[in-house]
């Protein structure tokens, strides 16, 4: 059974600081790993998708890395802004489903 | 292009009743999945459908069921509602092939009183 862990559970930083969010998974037989953002009471917005054969993906200020052999992924958010405040979830894909971590709640202080 | 559409957005039901939630996937997406999100358990997988066939099912009681229609639209049903079924129910769709990512809808907030 896939177990996904996210550390830290919460993070508070001043505006402009870089963010590093960690995700680990126990079963390396994944098709891909997906990072999502969730605002309170809302659905999930996909940020980045990393295929199992890839090492990283970038979109604007966001960069995600994947190390399948060690079961780790990291999401980097550069130059954080108050609008980045949200919960960030990573999810590993296999067996026609996503296994989610509990999320990291980020607060960016102006 | 239209995203994943879930209806209704909010529901209030009484214990013992049943409820049906609906999900319309992105056009061309034949895979539809359902997830339950609660503060205590986080996001948990309910089931996944592809071409009207259930391919995987999570660890939920038989009161939770689903189906998919020929146009890929999906419904999930919860019978004999319990207070613990109060949650945000999220639907996701995906293009054919496990290499593709999932797109989620805005969810249905179910409150059982």
């Amino acid at each position: 059974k896939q177990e996904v862990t996210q550390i830290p559970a919460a993070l508070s930083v001043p505006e402009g600081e870089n963010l590093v969010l960690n995700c680990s998974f126990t079963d390396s037989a994944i098709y891909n790993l997906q990072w999502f953002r969730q605002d309170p009471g809302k659905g999930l917005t996909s940020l980045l998708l990393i295929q199992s054969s890839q090492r990283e993906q970038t979109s604007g200020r966001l960069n995600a890395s994947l190390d399948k052999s060690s079961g780790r992924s990291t999401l980097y958010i550069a130059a954080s802004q108050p609008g980045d405040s949200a919960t960030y979830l990573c999810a590993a894909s296999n067996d026609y489903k996503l296994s989610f971590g509990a999320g990291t709640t980020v607060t960016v202080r102006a | 292009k239209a995203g994943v559409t879930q209806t209704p957005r909010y529901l209030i039901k009484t214990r013992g009743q049943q409820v049906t939630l609906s999900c319309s996937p992105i056009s061309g997406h034949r895979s539809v999945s359902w997830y339950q999100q609660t503060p205590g358990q986080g996001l948990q997988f309910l089931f996944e459908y592809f071409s009207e066939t259930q391919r995987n099912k999570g660890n939920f009681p038989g009161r939770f069921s689903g189906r998919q229609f020929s146009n890929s639209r999906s419904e999930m049903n919860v019978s004999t509602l319990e207070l613990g079924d109060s949650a945000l129910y999220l639907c996701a769709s995906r293009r054919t092939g496990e290499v593709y990512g999932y797109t989620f809808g805005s969810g249905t907030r179910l409150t059982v009183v």
Side-chain angles (χ1 to χ4, degrees), chain A:
Chain A
K1 179 191 169 191
Q2 180 75 272
E3 302 283 349
V4 180
T5 304
Q6 290 188 247
I7 294 172
L11 195 55
S12 178
V13 299
E15 183 176 3
E17 197 161 296
N18 296 332
L19 292 165
V20 180
L21 309 181
N22 297 297
C23 170
S24 61
F25 48 95
T26 55
D27 184 355
S28 62
I30 62 172
Y31 284 96
N32 54 55
L33 189 129
Q34 204 165 352
W35 283 92
F36 295 91
R37 168 186 172 137
Q38 186 175 34
D39 293 293
K42 307 291 186 183
L44 305 182
T45 300
S46 181
L47 297 173
L48 288 167
L49 172 73
I50 315 174
Q51 305 288 355
S52 62
S53 58
Q54 297 174 320
R55 295 302 298 259
E56 66 177 331
Q57 276 289 336
T58 298
S59 176
R61 295 184 294 111
L62 275 58
N63 174 276
S65 66
L66 175 65
D67 184 343
K68 252 184 60 170
S69 61
S70 67
R72 295 176 188 271
S73 178
T74 303
L75 177 66
Y76 301 89
I77 303 177
S80 61
Q81 304 168 358
D84 294 330
S85 298
T87 296
Y88 293 82
L89 295 144
C90 71
S93 176
N94 56 0
D95 291 335
Y96 307 119
K97 69 176 184 182
L98 289 172
S99 299
F100 283 89
T104 295
T105 299
V106 170
T107 303
V108 181
R109 308 185 304 269

Side-chain angles (χ1 to χ4, degrees), chain B residues 14-17 61 63 78-86 112-113:
Chain B
T14 304
R15 267 184 306 174
Q17 287 186 315
R63 301 185 296 107
V78 187
S79 62
T80 319
L81 284 165
E82 301 177 358
L83 295 179
D85 297 332
S86 295
V112 182
V113 297

Side-chain angles (χ1 to χ4, degrees), chain A residues 31-32 34 36 38 41-46 49 51 89 93-102, chain B residues 9-10 33 35 37 43 45 48 55-56 88 90 94 98-107 109:
Chain A
Y31 284 96
N32 54 55
Q34 204 165 352
F36 295 91
Q38 186 175 34
K42 307 291 186 183
L44 305 182
T45 300
S46 181
L49 172 73
Q51 305 288 355
L89 295 144
S93 176
N94 56 0
D95 291 335
Y96 307 119
K97 69 176 184 182
L98 289 172
S99 299
F100 283 89
Chain B
R9 291 296 309 277
Y10 303 94
S33 309
Y35 293 82
Q37 187 176 30
L43 273 153
F45 169 73
E48 190 263 4
R55 295 196 294 191
N56 200 354
L88 180 66
L90 292 164
R94 186 180 66 172
E98 291 223 53
V99 297
Y100 296 106
Y102 292 80
T103 302
F104 279 79
S106 298
R109 171 74 63 182

